[in-house]
């Protein structure tokens, strides 16, 4: 467990995950002081090796911290944005795959850009999220869907092609009959 000194306030105890979240959301800075429960001395957050704050070393020797992906942690499913709810995304995936591909693409955008939250909670009381393997699944679904629609449209045009040609001939004959009727009426 850790304690944080921020200005004149002392916060804590908090876990390592809490520290990471505070850093990700900007609630604390690397320069704020922290100490472990069993330590006496305060030190900057940036010196904690367990937070893995090391970054990429640039050519001039400066270190740049990796960008953190900001993740909201929800405890209540009703507070999750609609596009991040597993039920909504599953419906879009299902109906998009079977009937309307843009729904599948819409689900894919949600999956690729955000975490998708389930109703189930973890041991800390936070809603669980879908794993990254779902991105691979939805990519395969899009590929299979595109191939299926292409094959279906190609097959339909192959089957209906001769019928459409005959329909065109029949419509031309009907138009000739209508033109003949108007000519006979003197128009």
């Amino acid at each position: 467990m850790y304690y944080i000194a921020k200005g004149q306030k002392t916060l804590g105890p908090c876990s390592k995950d809490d520290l990471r979240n505070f850093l990700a959301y900007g609630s604390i800075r690397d320069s704020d002081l922290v100490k472990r429960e069993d330590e006496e001395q305060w030190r900057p957050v940036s010196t904690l090796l367990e937070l893995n704050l090391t970054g990429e070393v640039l050519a001039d020797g400066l270190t740049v911290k990796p960008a953190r992906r900001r993740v909201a942690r929800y405890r209540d499913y009703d507070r999750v944005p609609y596009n991040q709810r597993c039920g909504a995304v599953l419906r879009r995936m299902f109906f998009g795959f079977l009937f309307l591909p843009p729904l599948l693409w819409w689900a894919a955008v949600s999956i690729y850009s955000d975490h998708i939250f389930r109703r189930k909670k973890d041991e800390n009381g936070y809603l669980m999220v879908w794993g990254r393997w779902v991105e691979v699944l939805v990519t395969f679904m899009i590929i299979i869907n595109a191939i299926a629609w292409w094959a279906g449209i190609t097959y339909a045009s192959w089957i209906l092609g001769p019928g459409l040609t005959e329909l065109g001939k029949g419509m031309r004959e009907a138009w000739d009959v209508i033109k003949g009727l108007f000519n006979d009426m003197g128009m």
Side-chain angles (χ1 to χ4, degrees):
M1 297 309 278
Y2 299 88
Y3 291 90
I4 304 165
K6 184 162 177 62
Q8 302 297 326
K9 295 180 182 178
T10 302
L11 308 170
C14 59
S15 68
K16 190 180 353 177
D17 286 338
D18 292 334
L19 284 177
R20 283 193 183 113
N21 286 335
F22 292 154
L23 281 168
Y25 286 112
S27 301
I28 62 172
R29 294 187 207 134
D30 293 337
S31 59
D32 288 332
L33 300 176
V34 66
K35 74 172 186 168
R36 288 188 193 99
E37 197 171 36
D38 58 342
E39 293 179 342
E40 294 296 322
Q41 180 133 358
W42 292 91
R43 56 188 170 149
V45 173
S46 60
T47 62
L48 288 176
L49 296 176
E50 56 264 36
L51 292 181
N52 295 328
L53 295 177
T54 59
E56 178 182 334
V57 177
L58 300 176
D60 60 2
L62 295 175
T63 301
V64 178
K65 284 190 196 166
R68 291 182 183 91
R69 187 173 181 184
R70 295 184 77 160
V71 178
R73 296 181 72 189
Y74 295 100
R75 291 181 185 269
D76 185 15
Y77 191 75
D78 294 332
R79 299 183 112 190
V80 175
Y82 188 74
N83 286 338
Q84 291 180 268
R85 294 180 185 181
C86 69
V89 175
L90 276 174
R91 278 190 297 278
R92 288 181 191 144
M93 286 173 61
F94 178 76
F95 290 114
F97 186 76
L98 295 178
F99 306 113
L100 190 62
L103 289 175
L104 178 61
W105 306 335
W106 191 7
V109 168
S110 294
I111 291 169
Y112 294 145
S113 61
D114 295 316
H115 287 283
I116 307 302
F117 291 91
R118 301 166 43 191
R119 287 188 181 272
K120 187 176 178 184
K121 295 184 179 185
D122 64 8
E123 64 276 357
N124 296 323
Y126 292 106
L127 295 175
M128 297 180 75
V129 297
W130 284 0
R132 289 291 169 205
W133 62 269
V134 178
E135 291 179 3
V136 175
L137 173 69
V138 80
T139 302
F140 282 122
M141 286 178 73
I142 290 171
I143 292 168
I144 290 168
N145 188 266
I147 292 170
W149 277 94
W150 173 79
I153 291 170
T154 302
Y155 181 73
S157 66
W158 180 66
I159 293 296
L160 296 176
L164 292 175
T165 303
E166 291 300 319
L167 179 65
K169 287 180 187 175
M171 290 182 75
R172 277 192 297 276
E173 290 174 8
W175 179 249
D176 290 340
V177 168
I178 292 171
K179 278 181 14 184
L181 287 173
F182 280 117
N183 287 338
D184 289 345
M185 291 174 30
M187 298 182 159

